[in-house]
Amino acid sequence: MPVTRVEEFAAYDFAVRFKLEVYRLINESRGASKNQKYRAQVEEATSGIEGAMAEGFGRRKPKEFALYLRYSLGSLNESKTRLRDGIHRGYFRERDCQPAFTWAERCKRATTELWRSQERQAGQEEREAKAKKARAKAVEKQRRKEQGKEQGP
C-alpha cells in the first residue's frame, strides 16, 4: 500500500520526536532559553528536518523528494552540532542530551534509507522515460518510412 501522508514515514516520526526532545531541553535550560539567538538557531535547524521532508514529499516526485531528504539530513547535522554547542556552553549536560542524540541517530538512519529508496525510484522512472521516448522515436521513424513508400518515386 503506497504512503499517502509524510507522517507515515518512520523518518518523519523520528524527526518530530528529536525536535520535541530538543525543545524540552531548551525549555528546561535557563541559559538556552534566555539566549534568544542560540534558541532561534537551534529551533530553526531542528524544525527544518521535518519541514524539508514534508515539502519534498508534497512535490510527489521521487527525485525532488530525495533532494529534500538530503536537506533534512543537513538540518539534522546542524541541529546535532548546535546541541553539542549547547553542552559546551554549559546549557545542557551531555547525559541529559542522550535521548535527543538517540532520536537523531534513528532519524539519520531512517532518512538515509528513505533517501536511497527515492533515489532508486527516481532512477527507475528516468530509465522508463528514456525507453518510452526511444520507442516513440522508433515508431515515428517507421511511420515516416512507410509514408515515403506510399508516396512513391
Side-chain angles (χ1 to χ4, degrees), residues 53 63 74-75 97 100 105 119 132 137 142 145 147:
M53 284 183 197
K63 188 172 185 174
S75 293
C97 294
E105 185 58 30
E119 284 286 313
K132 184 177 179 180
K137 190 174 180 180
Q142 182 64 32
K145 185 177 177 181
Q147 260 184 342

Side-chain angles (χ1 to χ4, degrees), residues 11-145:
Y12 185 88
D13 180 54
F14 297 156
V16 170
R17 290 171 187 262
F18 172 66
K19 177 189 72 174
L20 294 175
E21 188 61 27
V22 170
Y23 288 0
R24 183 192 64 76
L25 288 164
I26 291 170
N27 290 332
E28 291 178 359
S29 166
R30 179 181 287 172
S33 56
K34 285 175 85 175
N35 183 335
Q36 293 301 311
K37 183 176 179 182
Y38 173 79
R39 181 181 186 134
Q41 289 172 331
V42 173
E43 289 178 349
E44 184 176 342
T46 305
S47 67
I49 302 165
E50 70 184 275
M53 284 183 197
E55 184 173 350
F57 181 77
R59 292 174 180 260
R60 302 283 186 218
K61 295 185 187 285
K63 188 172 185 174
E64 290 186 48
F65 190 22
L67 175 64
Y68 280 83
L69 289 169
R70 288 184 60 180
Y71 296 155
S72 291
L73 289 168
S75 293
L76 179 62
N77 285 329
E78 179 184 357
S79 298
K80 291 188 318 187
T81 299
R82 294 200 183 279
L83 197 54
R84 280 191 211 94
D85 183 47
I87 294 168
H88 299 159
R89 291 175 185 230
Y91 295 158
F92 318 115
R93 292 182 300 198
E94 190 161 354
R95 72 172 182 250
D96 295 335
C97 294
Q98 209 47 53
F101 288 131
T102 299
W103 285 119
E105 185 58 30
R106 289 175 182 167
C107 183
K108 177 184 172 187
R109 287 181 188 159
T111 304
T112 299
E113 285 304 310
L114 183 56
W115 170 75
R116 287 181 181 141
S117 75
Q118 294 303 301
E119 284 286 313
R120 284 190 299 271
Q121 180 66 34
Q124 180 65 31
E125 286 182 4
E126 286 178 13
R127 287 187 295 279
E128 289 172 2
K130 283 181 182 178
K132 184 177 179 180
K133 188 174 181 179
R135 285 190 302 272
K137 190 174 180 180
V139 167
E140 180 61 23
K141 185 176 179 180
Q142 182 64 32
R143 185 187 64 78
R144 286 184 182 167
K145 185 177 177 181

